[in-house]
Amino acid sequence: MNEAHEATRLREQGTDEARLRLIELAGRHPRDAVIAYQTAWAHDSAGLEAEAAPFYEEALAGDGLSTEDRHGVFVGLGSTYRVLGRYDESLATLRRGLGEFPDDATLRTFLAMTLYNVGEAREAAGTLLKVLAATSADDGVQRYRRAVEYYADHLDDVE
């Protein structure tokens, strides 16, 4: 088993021992983006966001991530920055992710949370309404999808 697969297997165990072994593995392979991502994820899952951020940053700077993992790094790092109150970095990371994954509902949802945190409630609500309109399986939402999408950009308009 190669070490990237080993890193994934360890992270899936979700134990503190696995997290510690991932730290050791990341130390031996500091340029391995997959190992850095798995190490970040293990820290994030353990509620250790401050420790996760540098590993996410290493993963994003590296090469070799699958498209799915690269997406996961953008979500994880953007969310981690938000939880740490590093809102400008969160916005930049999530917007960069949306540059690569423009219609992604997950990135847009985390972006909305950060927008709320920086006092951009109108843009946050509009973003969430667009996500809802695009992803909801609810027949009522779909019936009014065009209206929801329109009003997402016109929340303050009155007649």
Side-chain angles (χ1 to χ4, degrees), residues 75-90:
V75 172
L77 183 56
S79 172
T80 293
Y81 281 151
R82 188 192 75 76
V83 168
L84 295 172
R86 295 166 63 179
Y87 302 130
D88 290 341
E89 291 166 289
S90 177

Side-chain angles (χ1 to χ4, degrees), residues 78 81-82 85-95 111 114 117-118:
Y81 281 151
R82 188 192 75 76
R86 295 166 63 179
Y87 302 130
D88 290 341
E89 291 166 289
S90 177
L91 289 171
T93 300
L94 294 166
R95 287 179 172 143
L111 177 65
T114 307
N117 291 128
V118 298

Side-chain angles (χ1 to χ4, degrees), residues 31-55:
R31 289 189 163 77
D32 189 310
V34 174
I35 291 171
Y37 174 45
Q38 294 301 322
T39 307
W41 193 345
H43 282 83
D44 211 353
S45 297
L48 301 170
E49 289 85 358
E51 291 86 351
F55 290 108

Side-chain angles (χ1 to χ4, degrees), residues 6 14 16 18 30 48 50 57 67 89 99 113 115 119 126 134 136 146 150 157:
E6 175 70 1
D16 199 51
L48 301 170
E57 292 162 356
T67 301
E89 291 166 289
M113 287 186 256
L115 288 167
S136 179
R146 284 182 25 181
Y150 174 83
D157 292 1

Side-chain angles (χ1 to χ4, degrees), residues 39-157:
T39 307
W41 193 345
H43 282 83
D44 211 353
S45 297
L48 301 170
E49 289 85 358
E51 291 86 351
F55 290 108
Y56 279 129
E57 292 162 356
E58 289 175 27
L60 197 55
D63 295 320
L65 291 173
S66 67
T67 301
E68 180 181 350
D69 283 354
R70 189 157 173 85
H71 172 266
V73 171
F74 281 119
V75 172
L77 183 56
S79 172
T80 293
Y81 281 151
R82 188 192 75 76
V83 168
L84 295 172
R86 295 166 63 179
Y87 302 130
D88 290 341
E89 291 166 289
S90 177
L91 289 171
T93 300
L94 294 166
R95 287 179 172 143
R96 182 176 166 200
L98 284 165
E100 292 187 31
F101 305 95
D103 297 320
D104 186 74
T106 304
L107 287 166
R108 290 167 64 199
T109 300
F110 280 94
L111 177 65
M113 287 186 256
T114 307
L115 288 167
Y116 172 82
N117 291 128
V118 298
E120 298 292 334
R122 181 183 310 117
E123 188 177 350
T127 298
L128 287 176
L129 286 170
K130 289 176 185 176
V131 169
L132 176 67
T135 62
S136 179
D138 182 83
D139 290 339
V141 172
Q142 288 309 305
R143 187 175 313 120
Y144 294 101
R145 180 177 178 170
R146 284 182 25 181
V148 171
E149 288 173 338
Y150 174 83
Y151 288 119
D153 291 324
H154 300 91
L155 289 170
D156 294 319
D157 292 1

